[in-house]
Amino acid sequence: MPIIVRSPRFSTGTASLMLIGLILAGLPGCSRGSATNQQQPATDASAAGGGRGGGRSGRGGAGGTVPVVTAHVVSKAVPVTIPAVGTAEPLATVQIRAQVTGQLSAIHFTEGQDVRKGAPLFTLDARPFEAALQQAQAVLARDTAQAKNAQAQRTRAEDLFKRGLIPRDQYETMTANASALESTLAADQAQIENARLNLQYTHILAPISGRTGSLNVHQGDLVRANDATPLVVINQVAPIYVTFSVPGRYLPDIRRHQSQQPLRIEARIQPGGTPGSQQAAPPTPGTQPAAGTDGAPAGAPGDTPITAMSEAGKVSFIDNSVDPTTGTIKLKGTFANADHALWPGLFVQVTLVLRTEPSAIVVPAAAVQASQSGQFVFVVKADRTVEVRNITVGRQQGEEVVVAQGLTPGEEVVTDGQLRLTTGARVTTGTRGEGGGGRGDGGNDTGGRRGNGGRRGATRGNQS
């Protein structure tokens, strides 16, 4: 019987599975080769970015330096101060009132004018007071004549009484009349003095030197004696007081140093700037103002930075009790205020200087960092690596910190760029605004761009 060989028959589904299997069997080798070829350019790109001062090394990554801003620890004299908020008060305030009633005939100053002691302020109509003075003088003249006649009669009666020609009662009556007229002369003289004084009151003079306020009367008004509303108020502003309060716990130190010498006070007045202009934010500690294209501070051409005005004075008054509601004690400082920078009612920043520490260890406040274990700084060593140094802060004076323990003068500390540092990291130092410390994506602008280019090349290689 003949044998017939038949070819195997495969279904369509089986053929498809076999085709997919053959395709998958050839992929692993190709994929591994392609990945190897793709990873190599990415690695080269990353190495190029890091080697040219950019890439991620600018942010504290391994294999690069971190650009930072540093400052040196210094030893200098630093005052021990107590800050407070004070209010300027006039040294003396006088309310000018008329002492006689009369019509206001003249005003010798303008509102807001500085006047000196004894300068004329107002003049009242003096004619009624001149008439009263003349009347008093006439009465004195009449009584003087009567007193002279009574004195002559008493002299004659005394002679007659001694010879027994007149009775005693008649002699005593003449003597009493003469004595009464002498007392009348004294009263008349007092009336004259009073009339003369009222006449002087028609010329109102400045009792102190100071600055006048607003006028409450005008020429031609009827001014009444001792009226409730003053004619004008004069404030003495040079010298001037600044009143402020400090916590009562500082009272022993204040009294001890005040007994040695008068304590010094500084009053700072924050300028308001040009009305309508945008107020610039205060600079961050340890930074410099941003520079314009010409190297000058950014802003309008020709602008000059406005600084706070400062006045110096001395403590002249310590209150006799501590306020129990606030726990503070009130003090007053006297300021010469020759330029009238301090004005009554103005709020000022007061700094009370207790003493001066001659050799304090000082660092910028921006260098001090805080952690759970306390405060620390990054110290740059001679090999340009950093170490973490725990410190003890004594106090802060403005934008500087007095370090009680942990640092020595001459050491270099980091003031900007601490977030990118770790112990042992290598740093490059510079000042803010230079290429070394201004970017963080690379050592400088060119390196940063090349580093970014390396990162972009690595990204494209990984994606492909």
Side-chain angles (χ1 to χ4, degrees), residues 255-294:
R255 294 185 59 195
R256 183 175 68 254
H257 292 94
Q258 178 74 1
S259 63
Q260 300 172 0
Q261 61 180 359
L263 296 180
R264 185 166 57 90
I265 311 174
E266 293 181 359
R268 295 176 61 84
I269 308 169
Q270 191 66 29
T274 305
S277 64
Q278 184 177 2
Q279 300 298 317
T284 305
T287 64
Q288 298 178 351
T293 56
D294 56 352

PDB file of all heavy atoms in Angstrom, residues 255-294:
ATOM      1  N   ARG A 255      19.763 101.874  87.053  1.00  0.00           N
ATOM      2  CA  ARG A 255      20.121 102.724  88.197  1.00  0.00           C
ATOM      3  C   ARG A 255      21.606 102.635  88.502  1.00  0.00           C
ATOM      4  O   ARG A 255      22.241 103.645  88.839  1.00  0.00           O
ATOM      5  CB  ARG A 255      19.303 102.317  89.420  1.00  0.00           C
ATOM      6  CG  ARG A 255      17.804 102.576  89.297  1.00  0.00           C
ATOM      7  CD  ARG A 255      17.106 102.263  90.600  1.00  0.00           C
ATOM      8  NE  ARG A 255      17.653 103.078  91.676  1.00  0.00           N
ATOM      9  CZ  ARG A 255      17.442 102.821  92.976  1.00  0.00           C
ATOM     10  NH1 ARG A 255      16.708 101.769  93.330  1.00  0.00           N
ATOM     11  NH2 ARG A 255      17.963 103.605  93.900  1.00  0.00           N
ATOM     12  N   ARG A 256      22.179 101.425  88.378  1.00  0.00           N
ATOM     13  CA  ARG A 256      23.604 101.272  88.674  1.00  0.00           C
ATOM     14  C   ARG A 256      24.465 102.065  87.692  1.00  0.00           C
ATOM     15  O   ARG A 256      25.374 102.793  88.098  1.00  0.00           O
ATOM     16  CB  ARG A 256      23.981  99.791  88.637  1.00  0.00           C
ATOM     17  CG  ARG A 256      25.447  99.549  89.006  1.00  0.00           C
ATOM     18  CD  ARG A 256      25.785  98.082  89.092  1.00  0.00           C
ATOM     19  NE  ARG A 256      25.737  97.436  87.785  1.00  0.00           N
ATOM     20  CZ  ARG A 256      24.775  96.610  87.393  1.00  0.00           C
ATOM     21  NH1 ARG A 256      23.758  96.346  88.187  1.00  0.00           N
ATOM     22  NH2 ARG A 256      24.806  96.062  86.185  1.00  0.00           N
ATOM     23  N   HIS A 257      24.156 101.956  86.415  1.00  0.00           N
ATOM     24  CA  HIS A 257      24.949 102.686  85.428  1.00  0.00           C
ATOM     25  C   HIS A 257      24.646 104.176  85.436  1.00  0.00           C
ATOM     26  O   HIS A 257      25.531 104.992  85.150  1.00  0.00           O
ATOM     27  CB  HIS A 257      24.699 102.105  84.035  1.00  0.00           C
ATOM     28  CG  HIS A 257      25.229 100.712  83.852  1.00  0.00           C
ATOM     29  ND1 HIS A 257      24.452  99.591  84.038  1.00  0.00           N
ATOM     30  CD2 HIS A 257      26.460 100.255  83.530  1.00  0.00           C
ATOM     31  CE1 HIS A 257      25.176  98.506  83.815  1.00  0.00           C
ATOM     32  NE2 HIS A 257      26.402  98.882  83.504  1.00  0.00           N
ATOM     33  N   GLN A 258      23.412 104.557  85.768  1.00  0.00           N
ATOM     34  CA  GLN A 258      23.069 105.968  85.836  1.00  0.00           C
ATOM     35  C   GLN A 258      23.794 106.655  86.982  1.00  0.00           C
ATOM     36  O   GLN A 258      24.139 107.846  86.895  1.00  0.00           O
ATOM     37  CB  GLN A 258      21.544 106.133  85.988  1.00  0.00           C
ATOM     38  CG  GLN A 258      21.057 107.558  86.111  1.00  0.00           C
ATOM     39  CD  GLN A 258      21.107 108.315  84.798  1.00  0.00           C
ATOM     40  OE1 GLN A 258      21.496 107.778  83.784  1.00  0.00           O
ATOM     41  NE2 GLN A 258      20.714 109.584  84.842  1.00  0.00           N
ATOM     42  N   SER A 259      24.053 105.927  88.073  1.00  0.00           N
ATOM     43  CA  SER A 259      24.778 106.506  89.199  1.00  0.00           C
ATOM     44  C   SER A 259      26.235 106.792  88.848  1.00  0.00           C
ATOM     45  O   SER A 259      26.870 107.665  89.446  1.00  0.00           O
ATOM     46  CB  SER A 259      24.708 105.572  90.408  1.00  0.00           C
ATOM     47  OG  SER A 259      25.338 104.324  90.120  1.00  0.00           O
ATOM     48  N   GLN A 260      26.784 106.058  87.873  1.00  0.00           N
ATOM     49  CA  GLN A 260      28.166 106.270  87.471  1.00  0.00           C
ATOM     50  C   GLN A 260      28.301 107.443  86.515  1.00  0.00           C
ATOM     51  O   GLN A 260      29.189 108.281  86.663  1.00  0.00           O
ATOM     52  CB  GLN A 260      28.721 104.996  86.830  1.00  0.00           C
ATOM     53  CG  GLN A 260      28.703 103.789  87.769  1.00  0.00           C
ATOM     54  CD  GLN A 260      29.079 102.497  87.064  1.00  0.00           C
ATOM     55  OE1 GLN A 260      29.354 102.494  85.855  1.00  0.00           O
ATOM     56  NE2 GLN A 260      29.073 101.397  87.793  1.00  0.00           N
ATOM     57  N   GLN A 261      27.418 107.529  85.541  1.00  0.00           N
ATOM     58  CA  GLN A 261      27.410 108.627  84.587  1.00  0.00           C
ATOM     59  C   GLN A 261      26.059 108.625  83.870  1.00  0.00           C
ATOM     60  O   GLN A 261      25.394 107.589  83.805  1.00  0.00           O
ATOM     61  CB  GLN A 261      28.540 108.493  83.562  1.00  0.00           C
ATOM     62  CG  GLN A 261      28.462 107.236  82.719  1.00  0.00           C
ATOM     63  CD  GLN A 261      29.600 107.150  81.726  1.00  0.00           C
ATOM     64  OE1 GLN A 261      30.444 108.038  81.654  1.00  0.00           O
ATOM     65  NE2 GLN A 261      29.645 106.084  80.954  1.00  0.00           N
ATOM     66  N   PRO A 262      25.630 109.781  83.345  1.00  0.00           N
ATOM     67  CA  PRO A 262      24.336 109.825  82.644  1.00  0.00           C
ATOM     68  C   PRO A 262      24.321 108.864  81.466  1.00  0.00           C
ATOM     69  O   PRO A 262      25.263 108.799  80.675  1.00  0.00           O
ATOM     70  CB  PRO A 262      24.235 111.279  82.181  1.00  0.00           C
ATOM     71  CG  PRO A 262      25.113 112.035  83.120  1.00  0.00           C
ATOM     72  CD  PRO A 262      26.246 111.116  83.461  1.00  0.00           C
ATOM     73  N   LEU A 263      23.255 108.077  81.374  1.00  0.00           N
ATOM     74  CA  LEU A 263      23.135 107.088  80.304  1.00  0.00           C
ATOM     75  C   LEU A 263      22.843 107.783  78.982  1.00  0.00           C
ATOM     76  O   LEU A 263      22.077 108.747  78.912  1.00  0.00           O
ATOM     77  CB  LEU A 263      22.025 106.084  80.628  1.00  0.00           C
ATOM     78  CG  LEU A 263      22.261 105.223  81.868  1.00  0.00           C
ATOM     79  CD1 LEU A 263      21.094 104.265  82.073  1.00  0.00           C
ATOM     80  CD2 LEU A 263      23.567 104.441  81.758  1.00  0.00           C
ATOM     81  N   ARG A 264      23.438 107.247  77.936  1.00  0.00           N
ATOM     82  CA  ARG A 264      23.272 107.816  76.599  1.00  0.00           C
ATOM     83  C   ARG A 264      22.075 107.177  75.902  1.00  0.00           C
ATOM     84  O   ARG A 264      21.804 105.983  76.052  1.00  0.00           O
ATOM     85  CB  ARG A 264      24.549 107.592  75.776  1.00  0.00           C
ATOM     86  CG  ARG A 264      24.537 108.240  74.413  1.00  0.00           C
ATOM     87  CD  ARG A 264      25.952 108.246  73.828  1.00  0.00           C
ATOM     88  NE  ARG A 264      26.493 106.892  73.768  1.00  0.00           N
ATOM     89  CZ  ARG A 264      26.351 106.087  72.713  1.00  0.00           C
ATOM     90  NH1 ARG A 264      25.689 106.504  71.644  1.00  0.00           N
ATOM     91  NH2 ARG A 264      26.879 104.881  72.717  1.00  0.00           N
ATOM     92  N   ILE A 265      21.360 107.981  75.120  1.00  0.00           N
ATOM     93  CA  ILE A 265      20.178 107.523  74.384  1.00  0.00           C
ATOM     94  C   ILE A 265      20.344 107.932  72.926  1.00  0.00           C
ATOM     95  O   ILE A 265      20.843 109.018  72.622  1.00  0.00           O
ATOM     96  CB  ILE A 265      18.875 108.136  74.935  1.00  0.00           C
ATOM     97  CG1 ILE A 265      18.789 107.990  76.440  1.00  0.00           C
ATOM     98  CG2 ILE A 265      17.659 107.485  74.300  1.00  0.00           C
ATOM     99  CD1 ILE A 265      17.615 108.696  77.046  1.00  0.00           C
ATOM    100  N   GLU A 266      19.895 107.059  72.053  1.00  0.00           N
ATOM    101  CA  GLU A 266      19.827 107.365  70.623  1.00  0.00           C
ATOM    102  C   GLU A 266      18.381 107.242  70.169  1.00  0.00           C
ATOM    103  O   GLU A 266      17.722 106.240  70.444  1.00  0.00           O
ATOM    104  CB  GLU A 266      20.712 106.422  69.811  1.00  0.00           C
ATOM    105  CG  GLU A 266      22.199 106.605  70.068  1.00  0.00           C
ATOM    106  CD  GLU A 266      23.043 105.670  69.226  1.00  0.00           C
ATOM    107  OE1 GLU A 266      22.434 104.879  68.464  1.00  0.00           O
ATOM    108  OE2 GLU A 266      24.276 105.714  69.334  1.00  0.00           O
ATOM    109  N   ALA A 267      17.909 108.267  69.499  1.00  0.00           N
ATOM    110  CA  ALA A 267      16.544 108.273  68.951  1.00  0.00           C
ATOM    111  C   ALA A 267      16.641 108.292  67.439  1.00  0.00           C
ATOM    112  O   ALA A 267      17.245 109.202  66.862  1.00  0.00           O
ATOM    113  CB  ALA A 267      15.758 109.481  69.456  1.00  0.00           C
ATOM    114  N   ARG A 268      16.048 107.286  66.788  1.00  0.00           N
ATOM    115  CA  ARG A 268      16.097 107.169  65.340  1.00  0.00           C
ATOM    116  C   ARG A 268      14.719 107.472  64.769  1.00  0.00           C
ATOM    117  O   ARG A 268      13.701 106.969  65.248  1.00  0.00           O
ATOM    118  CB  ARG A 268      16.539 105.770  64.914  1.00  0.00           C
ATOM    119  CG  ARG A 268      17.975 105.450  65.319  1.00  0.00           C
ATOM    120  CD  ARG A 268      18.336 104.029  64.959  1.00  0.00           C
ATOM    121  NE  ARG A 268      18.241 103.780  63.535  1.00  0.00           N
ATOM    122  CZ  ARG A 268      19.207 104.048  62.674  1.00  0.00           C
ATOM    123  NH1 ARG A 268      20.342 104.590  63.103  1.00  0.00           N
ATOM    124  NH2 ARG A 268      19.069 103.785  61.397  1.00  0.00           N
ATOM    125  N   ILE A 269      14.727 108.299  63.734  1.00  0.00           N
ATOM    126  CA  ILE A 269      13.493 108.689  63.054  1.00  0.00           C
ATOM    127  C   ILE A 269      13.521 108.065  61.676  1.00  0.00           C
ATOM    128  O   ILE A 269      14.403 108.370  60.864  1.00  0.00           O
ATOM    129  CB  ILE A 269      13.373 110.213  62.954  1.00  0.00           C
ATOM    130  CG1 ILE A 269      13.560 110.841  64.332  1.00  0.00           C
ATOM    131  CG2 ILE A 269      12.045 110.617  62.340  1.00  0.00           C
ATOM    132  CD1 ILE A 269      13.719 112.337  64.295  1.00  0.00           C
ATOM    133  N   GLN A 270      12.584 107.158  61.398  1.00  0.00           N
ATOM    134  CA  GLN A 270      12.549 106.495  60.105  1.00  0.00           C
ATOM    135  C   GLN A 270      12.001 107.450  59.054  1.00  0.00           C
ATOM    136  O   GLN A 270      10.907 107.992  59.212  1.00  0.00           O
ATOM    137  CB  GLN A 270      11.671 105.237  60.171  1.00  0.00           C
ATOM    138  CG  GLN A 270      11.789 104.340  58.960  1.00  0.00           C
ATOM    139  CD  GLN A 270      13.165 103.723  58.819  1.00  0.00           C
ATOM    140  OE1 GLN A 270      13.843 103.514  59.803  1.00  0.00           O
ATOM    141  NE2 GLN A 270      13.585 103.437  57.617  1.00  0.00           N
ATOM    142  N   PRO A 271      12.752 107.700  57.972  1.00  0.00           N
ATOM    143  CA  PRO A 271      12.254 108.638  56.957  1.00  0.00           C
ATOM    144  C   PRO A 271      11.086 108.047  56.187  1.00  0.00           C
ATOM    145  O   PRO A 271      10.997 106.837  55.989  1.00  0.00           O
ATOM    146  CB  PRO A 271      13.475 108.857  56.053  1.00  0.00           C
ATOM    147  CG  PRO A 271      14.256 107.598  56.188  1.00  0.00           C
ATOM    148  CD  PRO A 271      14.060 107.131  57.611  1.00  0.00           C
ATOM    149  N   GLY A 272      10.198 108.919  55.754  1.00  0.00           N
ATOM    150  CA  GLY A 272       9.034 108.468  55.000  1.00  0.00           C
ATOM    151  C   GLY A 272       9.261 108.403  53.507  1.00  0.00           C
ATOM    152  O   GLY A 272       8.466 107.822  52.787  1.00  0.00           O
ATOM    153  N   GLY A 273      10.370 109.003  53.008  1.00  0.00           N
ATOM    154  CA  GLY A 273      10.604 109.003  51.569  1.00  0.00           C
ATOM    155  C   GLY A 273       9.757 110.047  50.863  1.00  0.00           C
ATOM    156  O   GLY A 273       9.000 110.810  51.459  1.00  0.00           O
ATOM    157  N   THR A 274       9.874 110.076  49.558  1.00  0.00           N
ATOM    158  CA  THR A 274       9.111 111.025  48.759  1.00  0.00           C
ATOM    159  C   THR A 274       7.638 110.620  48.735  1.00  0.00           C
ATOM    160  O   THR A 274       7.331 109.455  48.489  1.00  0.00           O
ATOM    161  CB  THR A 274       9.661 111.075  47.325  1.00  0.00           C
ATOM    162  OG1 THR A 274      11.064 111.378  47.386  1.00  0.00           O
ATOM    163  CG2 THR A 274       8.931 112.127  46.511  1.00  0.00           C
ATOM    164  N   PRO A 275       6.711 111.539  49.012  1.00  0.00           N
ATOM    165  CA  PRO A 275       5.289 111.169  48.980  1.00  0.00           C
ATOM    166  C   PRO A 275       4.894 110.598  47.629  1.00  0.00           C
ATOM    167  O   PRO A 275       5.212 111.161  46.576  1.00  0.00           O
ATOM    168  CB  PRO A 275       4.575 112.501  49.260  1.00  0.00           C
ATOM    169  CG  PRO A 275       5.579 113.326  49.992  1.00  0.00           C
ATOM    170  CD  PRO A 275       6.916 112.938  49.425  1.00  0.00           C
ATOM    171  N   GLY A 276       4.214 109.465  47.658  1.00  0.00           N
ATOM    172  CA  GLY A 276       3.753 108.816  46.442  1.00  0.00           C
ATOM    173  C   GLY A 276       4.734 107.849  45.842  1.00  0.00           C
ATOM    174  O   GLY A 276       4.397 107.119  44.914  1.00  0.00           O
ATOM    175  N   SER A 277       5.976 107.826  46.327  1.00  0.00           N
ATOM    176  CA  SER A 277       6.973 106.914  45.767  1.00  0.00           C
ATOM    177  C   SER A 277       6.832 105.545  46.387  1.00  0.00           C
ATOM    178  O   SER A 277       6.319 105.388  47.499  1.00  0.00           O
ATOM    179  CB  SER A 277       8.386 107.457  45.999  1.00  0.00           C
ATOM    180  OG  SER A 277       8.650 107.517  47.389  1.00  0.00           O
ATOM    181  N   GLN A 278       7.301 104.536  45.669  1.00  0.00           N
ATOM    182  CA  GLN A 278       7.244 103.166  46.150  1.00  0.00           C
ATOM    183  C   GLN A 278       8.336 102.961  47.181  1.00  0.00           C
ATOM    184  O   GLN A 278       9.494 103.299  46.967  1.00  0.00           O
ATOM    185  CB  GLN A 278       7.425 102.183  44.998  1.00  0.00           C
ATOM    186  CG  GLN A 278       7.287 100.716  45.419  1.00  0.00           C
ATOM    187  CD  GLN A 278       7.399  99.788  44.233  1.00  0.00           C
ATOM    188  OE1 GLN A 278       7.613 100.234  43.120  1.00  0.00           O
ATOM    189  NE2 GLN A 278       7.256  98.512  44.465  1.00  0.00           N
ATOM    190  N   GLN A 279       7.967 102.417  48.335  1.00  0.00           N
ATOM    191  CA  GLN A 279       8.919 102.204  49.406  1.00  0.00           C
ATOM    192  C   GLN A 279       9.704 100.933  49.149  1.00  0.00           C
ATOM    193  O   GLN A 279       9.128  99.868  48.911  1.00  0.00           O
ATOM    194  CB  GLN A 279       8.195 102.102  50.767  1.00  0.00           C
ATOM    195  CG  GLN A 279       7.401 103.344  51.110  1.00  0.00           C
ATOM    196  CD  GLN A 279       8.286 104.560  51.236  1.00  0.00           C
ATOM    197  OE1 GLN A 279       9.357 104.503  51.817  1.00  0.00           O
ATOM    198  NE2 GLN A 279       7.854 105.677  50.669  1.00  0.00           N
ATOM    199  N   ALA A 280      11.029 101.046  49.196  1.00  0.00           N
ATOM    200  CA  ALA A 280      11.890  99.891  48.975  1.00  0.00           C
ATOM    201  C   ALA A 280      11.948  99.036  50.224  1.00  0.00           C
ATOM    202  O   ALA A 280      11.974  99.539  51.344  1.00  0.00           O
ATOM    203  CB  ALA A 280      13.301 100.339  48.592  1.00  0.00           C
ATOM    204  N   ALA A 281      11.934  97.712  50.024  1.00  0.00           N
ATOM    205  CA  ALA A 281      12.031  96.791  51.141  1.00  0.00           C
ATOM    206  C   ALA A 281      13.436  96.830  51.715  1.00  0.00           C
ATOM    207  O   ALA A 281      14.409  97.049  50.994  1.00  0.00           O
ATOM    208  CB  ALA A 281      11.693  95.374  50.688  1.00  0.00           C
ATOM    209  N   PRO A 282      13.588  96.654  53.023  1.00  0.00           N
ATOM    210  CA  PRO A 282      14.930  96.672  53.603  1.00  0.00           C
ATOM    211  C   PRO A 282      15.740  95.499  53.095  1.00  0.00           C
ATOM    212  O   PRO A 282      15.208  94.419  52.823  1.00  0.00           O
ATOM    213  CB  PRO A 282      14.648  96.552  55.114  1.00  0.00           C
ATOM    214  CG  PRO A 282      13.303  95.931  55.208  1.00  0.00           C
ATOM    215  CD  PRO A 282      12.543  96.399  54.006  1.00  0.00           C
ATOM    216  N   PRO A 283      17.060  95.674  52.908  1.00  0.00           N
ATOM    217  CA  PRO A 283      17.887  94.594  52.392  1.00  0.00           C
ATOM    218  C   PRO A 283      17.993  93.435  53.363  1.00  0.00           C
ATOM    219  O   PRO A 283      17.895  93.619  54.571  1.00  0.00           O
ATOM    220  CB  PRO A 283      19.252  95.271  52.186  1.00  0.00           C
ATOM    221  CG  PRO A 283      19.236  96.419  53.147  1.00  0.00           C
ATOM    222  CD  PRO A 283      17.809  96.867  53.221  1.00  0.00           C
ATOM    223  N   THR A 284      18.155  92.249  52.814  1.00  0.00           N
ATOM    224  CA  THR A 284      18.343  91.068  53.641  1.00  0.00           C
ATOM    225  C   THR A 284      19.702  91.140  54.315  1.00  0.00           C
ATOM    226  O   THR A 284      20.677  91.547  53.703  1.00  0.00           O
ATOM    227  CB  THR A 284      18.262  89.800  52.777  1.00  0.00           C
ATOM    228  OG1 THR A 284      17.016  89.815  52.079  1.00  0.00           O
ATOM    229  CG2 THR A 284      18.369  88.540  53.630  1.00  0.00           C
ATOM    230  N   PRO A 285      19.804  90.778  55.608  1.00  0.00           N
ATOM    231  CA  PRO A 285      21.099  90.857  56.271  1.00  0.00           C
ATOM    232  C   PRO A 285      22.153  90.056  55.529  1.00  0.00           C
ATOM    233  O   PRO A 285      21.939  88.915  55.133  1.00  0.00           O
ATOM    234  CB  PRO A 285      20.802  90.247  57.656  1.00  0.00           C
ATOM    235  CG  PRO A 285      19.347  90.468  57.861  1.00  0.00           C
ATOM    236  CD  PRO A 285      18.725  90.357  56.498  1.00  0.00           C
ATOM    237  N   GLY A 286      23.319  90.670  55.333  1.00  0.00           N
ATOM    238  CA  GLY A 286      24.419  90.011  54.647  1.00  0.00           C
ATOM    239  C   GLY A 286      24.404  90.201  53.148  1.00  0.00           C
ATOM    240  O   GLY A 286      25.248  89.650  52.450  1.00  0.00           O
ATOM    241  N   THR A 287      23.437  90.953  52.610  1.00  0.00           N
ATOM    242  CA  THR A 287      23.362  91.167  51.173  1.00  0.00           C
ATOM    243  C   THR A 287      23.675  92.610  50.865  1.00  0.00           C
ATOM    244  O   THR A 287      23.701  93.472  51.736  1.00  0.00           O
ATOM    245  CB  THR A 287      21.967  90.806  50.632  1.00  0.00           C
ATOM    246  OG1 THR A 287      21.004  91.692  51.218  1.00  0.00           O
ATOM    247  CG2 THR A 287      21.615  89.381  50.971  1.00  0.00           C
ATOM    248  N   GLN A 288      23.861  92.876  49.590  1.00  0.00           N
ATOM    249  CA  GLN A 288      24.097  94.222  49.104  1.00  0.00           C
ATOM    250  C   GLN A 288      22.972  94.612  48.166  1.00  0.00           C
ATOM    251  O   GLN A 288      22.324  93.757  47.565  1.00  0.00           O
ATOM    252  CB  GLN A 288      25.436  94.310  48.368  1.00  0.00           C
ATOM    253  CG  GLN A 288      26.642  93.996  49.257  1.00  0.00           C
ATOM    254  CD  GLN A 288      27.923  94.040  48.474  1.00  0.00           C
ATOM    255  OE1 GLN A 288      27.913  94.144  47.250  1.00  0.00           O
ATOM    256  NE2 GLN A 288      29.046  93.943  49.171  1.00  0.00           N
ATOM    257  N   PRO A 289      22.702  95.909  48.023  1.00  0.00           N
ATOM    258  CA  PRO A 289      21.642  96.324  47.105  1.00  0.00           C
ATOM    259  C   PRO A 289      21.958  95.887  45.686  1.00  0.00           C
ATOM    260  O   PRO A 289      23.108  95.855  45.254  1.00  0.00           O
ATOM    261  CB  PRO A 289      21.639  97.853  47.243  1.00  0.00           C
ATOM    262  CG  PRO A 289      22.305  98.134  48.558  1.00  0.00           C
ATOM    263  CD  PRO A 289      23.295  97.025  48.755  1.00  0.00           C
ATOM    264  N   ALA A 290      20.899  95.535  44.967  1.00  0.00           N
ATOM    265  CA  ALA A 290      21.067  95.124  43.580  1.00  0.00           C
ATOM    266  C   ALA A 290      21.621  96.281  42.770  1.00  0.00           C
ATOM    267  O   ALA A 290      21.225  97.428  42.928  1.00  0.00           O
ATOM    268  CB  ALA A 290      19.728  94.658  42.995  1.00  0.00           C
ATOM    269  N   ALA A 291      22.572  95.972  41.892  1.00  0.00           N
ATOM    270  CA  ALA A 291      23.227  97.016  41.106  1.00  0.00           C
ATOM    271  C   ALA A 291      22.586  97.132  39.740  1.00  0.00           C
ATOM    272  O   ALA A 291      22.108  96.161  39.155  1.00  0.00           O
ATOM    273  CB  ALA A 291      24.713  96.703  40.950  1.00  0.00           C
ATOM    274  N   GLY A 292      22.594  98.343  39.222  1.00  0.00           N
ATOM    275  CA  GLY A 292      22.085  98.581  37.890  1.00  0.00           C
ATOM    276  C   GLY A 292      23.145  98.281  36.850  1.00  0.00           C
ATOM    277  O   GLY A 292      24.220  97.742  37.116  1.00  0.00           O
ATOM    278  N   THR A 293      22.862  98.652  35.614  1.00  0.00           N
ATOM    279  CA  THR A 293      23.798  98.366  34.534  1.00  0.00           C
ATOM    280  C   THR A 293      25.081  99.170  34.654  1.00  0.00           C
ATOM    281  O   THR A 293      26.125  98.758  34.185  1.00  0.00           O
ATOM    282  CB  THR A 293      23.122  98.695  33.188  1.00  0.00           C
ATOM    283  OG1 THR A 293      22.676 100.060  33.208  1.00  0.00           O
ATOM    284  CG2 THR A 293      21.922  97.784  32.955  1.00  0.00           C
ATOM    285  N   ASP A 294      25.013 100.325  35.319  1.00  0.00           N
ATOM    286  CA  ASP A 294      26.210 101.143  35.470  1.00  0.00           C
ATOM    287  C   ASP A 294      26.926 100.888  36.771  1.00  0.00           C
ATOM    288  O   ASP A 294      27.843 101.603  37.134  1.00  0.00           O
ATOM    289  CB  ASP A 294      25.843 102.633  35.378  1.00  0.00           C
ATOM    290  CG  ASP A 294      24.794 103.022  36.392  1.00  0.00           C
ATOM    291  OD1 ASP A 294      24.258 102.110  37.050  1.00  0.00           O
ATOM    292  OD2 ASP A 294      24.519 104.227  36.537  1.00  0.00           O
TER     293      ASP A 294
END
